[in-house]
Amino acid sequence: MSLRRFRLALVPAGFGLGLVVEWSTYDPSLGRTLTGADFVVGCVLIGGGVAAWGRRPESRIGMVMLLAGATWFLGNLASPLLYLHRGPLVQSYLSYPMGRLRSRLVRAVVAAAYVDAAVEPLARNRLLTLVLACAVALTALHLFAGASVLVRKAGTLALAAALAFAAALALAASGLLGWRADLWVYDLVVASAAMVLAVDLLRGGWSDAVVTGLVVDLGTHAEAGTLQEKLARALGDRSLVVGYRLDGRAGFVDDAGRPVELPAAGTGRTVTPLVDQGRTVAVLVHDEALLADRRLVDSVAAAARIAVANAALQAEARTRAGELEASRRRLVEAADTQRRRIERELHARAGRRLANVGSLLAEARAQIGSIDRDGVAALEHEVLEARRELVELAYGVVPTALVSGGLMPALAQLARRSSTPVELRGTVGRLPGPVEAALYFVCSEALANATKHAATARVEIDLIADAEGAGATVRDDGVGGADPSAGSGLRGLADRVEALGGNLRVVSPAGGGTSVAAEIPIRRA
């Protein structure tokens, strides 16, 4: 017998079971009207369950409704079975539309409902029934409030059904209307909720809300879950797996890079490829029952394909950004290397030649007459000035103290040479060469600007360093109002610092002095 015929056979079988049970267990105290209502409720649950299962096999709601209908009729056979239907009803309200229990809270409340339904003394306890009613209502409200605005469209009917059922339970437990009126209200609520949910499930309007909710979910931050987790939530298939194709490799891998095995025929699982521009970029491995709603699966696959393509673009952008940052860092390091080479050559070649010239002039002055000594002295003065300017030029390229001793000796030498009093605070050890050079030139440029333009009387340099990074802050008490964008000095320093993964901040309110602060992460540098 095919599955379709089996489902169709369940309808007359369920109705027949209901007739037999109601006939054999007829209670005159209930009367024919209440007995007929009881029969109608059971038939509605079974009929709605069969219809939903046949039209939406990917949803478990149909089978849960069938179970509720069967236990509804079985409750008439024996007193311990009277409340068995409560468990499936609570599950259908809190797991609509896919029939999956979406959180620990939902699983806990549904499990409590099944336990309460199976143990007659618990089900008859008025206080416990009130507690169960409150738990169902609060859980339904929690699910509704936690959903996005668009997804609530699919959950509105389920929320109304859950609240109505909780109210009917509470009313029956309180006994305010009397047992006959309570039974009428309870039967009316159960039948109405079953019909409303079954019709909504058959119409499939909820699938649009599911897809819309997935698109919204895919736009949230990564911390909200991986693509696989979001797709699994949307389709209600917790076993769903996303396999990504890697360039140059056969097969697919999951989020963690593990190989994804594609299911064989007859396993109950199938594969939906995600094709972008004629190329399969990923696959969805999911429950075969989802294919019954091809429109839903295609819509979800389209959303997933966009997400996969977007993730690939983001990964490419991150790679490009990393390459750009590495390129900038290499340029800074190359510039520092070139500076040191020029400094060495200035000292080794031009400096040595000028020293030799000075020695020759000293020897010449001792050998020639006094009438020419003034001219030689003038030449010696010019040579000394040339040597001094050469030292200053070499010092501006990169100070020897920075290369040989590190940042602290270089800044101490800078402070001594400054015409403005400088207070150097803090102590740092040797740092990576690019970091030392960047911090030194930040301090040098800030000090030069303070001396030339700020009319400052005092400058403070604070240094700090740890295992994560290093920083330098230069403060003056000048006129302030400095504009970093007005000149190339601070802009160039900002480029140097940012190329090392750091940042440069300039704070210069008018009349409030200027503060230049640089921070550079050591590990990235």
Side-chain angles (χ1 to χ4, degrees):
M1 180 184 295
S2 67
L3 182 60
R4 182 173 180 274
R5 290 182 178 179
F6 173 73
R7 285 195 296 258
L8 292 176
L10 287 176
V11 176
F15 291 176
L17 172 66
L19 281 174
V20 172
V21 170
E22 297 292 352
W23 183 271
S24 61
T25 61
Y26 175 71
D27 185 355
S29 64
L30 293 176
R32 294 180 179 178
T33 307
L34 267 177
T35 301
D38 188 77
F39 173 73
V40 169
V41 173
C43 290
V44 167
L45 288 170
I46 291 176
V50 170
W53 186 16
R55 182 71 179 274
R56 302 291 179 186
E58 72 276 9
S59 172
R60 297 175 182 174
I61 294 297
M63 289 183 286
V64 175
M65 280 189 179
L66 268 174
L67 179 60
T71 52
W72 181 274
F73 285 135
L74 291 178
N76 293 325
L77 295 177
S79 179
L81 307 178
L82 182 61
Y83 303 98
L84 280 181
H85 63 276
R86 285 183 181 176
L89 287 179
V90 170
Q91 181 179 352
S92 65
Y93 303 144
L94 297 184
S95 63
Y96 187 85
M98 296 303 295
R100 270 78 173 185
L101 306 180
R102 289 167 282 177
S103 68
R104 292 181 180 178
L105 174 63
V106 174
R107 289 193 288 271
V109 173
V110 171
Y114 274 101
V115 172
D116 176 83
V119 182
E120 184 187 7
L122 298 179
R124 289 187 180 278
N125 187 289
R126 293 178 180 271
L127 178 59
L128 291 180
T129 302
L130 285 173
V131 171
L132 177 62
C134 291
V136 171
L138 292 176
T139 304
L141 288 170
H142 175 74
L143 288 173
F144 188 78
S148 67
V149 175
L150 295 172
V151 175
R152 289 177 186 174
K153 176 183 176 182
T156 302
L157 294 178
L159 173 66
L163 294 180
F165 179 74
L169 273 183
L171 185 64
S174 64
L176 293 177
L177 302 180
W179 68 271
R180 293 185 69 88
D182 291 342
L183 280 179
W184 275 111
V185 171
Y186 190 79
D187 287 354
L188 180 63
V189 166
V190 172
S192 299
M195 287 189 293
V196 167
L197 294 185
V199 170
D200 183 65
L201 202 63
L202 294 176
R203 288 176 57 247
W206 57 272
S207 62
D208 294 332
V210 169
V211 175
T212 304
L214 171 63
V215 174
V216 174
D217 199 17
L218 290 175
T220 60
H221 196 269
E223 292 179 356
T226 64
L227 173 62
Q228 179 171 304
E229 292 169 345
K230 293 174 181 178
L231 291 175
R233 283 198 301 267
L235 289 173
D237 182 3
R238 296 176 63 188
S239 64
L240 180 141
V241 175
V242 179
Y244 303 91
R245 183 183 293 282
L246 299 181
D247 291 336
R249 290 183 55 182
F252 301 88
V253 298
D254 62 11
D255 291 327
R258 297 182 296 261
V260 172
E261 292 187 10
L262 302 184
T267 60
R269 298 180 62 72
T270 189
V271 176
T272 296
L274 305 182
V275 181
D276 184 37
Q277 297 180 353
R279 175 175 173 268
T280 300
V281 295
V283 293
L284 303 182
V285 181
H286 56 83
D287 193 332
E288 204 169 41
L290 293 176
L291 290 177
D293 193 343
R294 189 71 247 181
R295 174 171 167 268
L296 174 62
V297 174
D298 290 343
S299 300
V300 169
R305 182 169 60 250
I306 295 173
V308 170
N310 184 51
L313 289 175
Q314 290 179 352
E316 182 178 357
R318 286 193 296 269
T319 301
R320 300 282 183 177
E323 292 174 352
L324 177 60
E325 182 178 347
S327 176
R328 294 177 65 189
R329 187 164 58 246
R330 287 193 297 270
L331 287 174
V332 168
E333 293 172 354
D336 287 339
T337 301
Q338 185 70 2
R339 284 173 181 268
R340 288 191 292 270
R341 186 186 65 80
I342 294 173
E343 187 267 343
R344 287 194 301 268
E345 290 184 356
L346 286 174
H347 280 295
R349 296 183 181 181
R352 185 172 62 248
R353 288 179 181 275
L354 287 174
N356 290 337
V357 171
S359 299
L360 292 174
L361 287 174
E363 293 176 2
R365 186 176 57 179
Q367 295 175 4
I368 64 178
S370 60
I371 189 171
D372 295 323
R373 288 183 179 178
D374 291 340
V376 174
L379 289 175
E380 286 182 323
H381 176 74
E382 291 298 324
V383 171
L384 288 175
E385 286 296 311
R387 292 184 65 186
R388 184 181 64 80
E389 291 178 1
L390 180 63
V391 169
E392 290 182 353
L393 176 61
Y395 184 82
V397 173
V398 57
T400 304
L402 180 65
V403 178
S404 59
L407 187 60
M408 291 302 298
L411 290 180
Q413 189 179 66
L414 181 68
R416 288 193 300 269
R417 291 168 54 89
S418 174
S419 59
T420 301
V422 178
E423 181 181 358
L424 184 61
R425 298 185 298 207
T427 302
V428 299
R430 291 308 303 260
L431 303 171
V435 176
E436 288 184 334
L439 293 179
Y440 173 81
F441 285 116
V442 166
C443 295
S444 176
E445 181 70 18
L447 180 58
N449 289 340
T451 302
K452 294 178 182 178
H453 311 298
T456 184
R458 183 177 183 82
V459 176
E460 298 174 349
I461 299 178
D462 292 305
L463 300 175
I464 186 172
D466 55 27
E468 297 296 326
T473 302
V474 182
R475 300 183 186 88
D476 66 55
D477 56 359
V479 296
D483 184 5
S485 62
S488 60
L490 288 178
R491 284 206 308 270
L493 291 176
D495 290 340
R496 169 188 280 270
V497 171
E498 290 170 2
L500 298 176
N503 62 83
L504 182 73
R505 300 188 308 275
V506 179
V507 179
S508 185
T514 300
S515 173
V516 179
E519 296 178 353
I520 302 175
I522 289 179
R523 289 181 177 175
R524 292 184 66 183

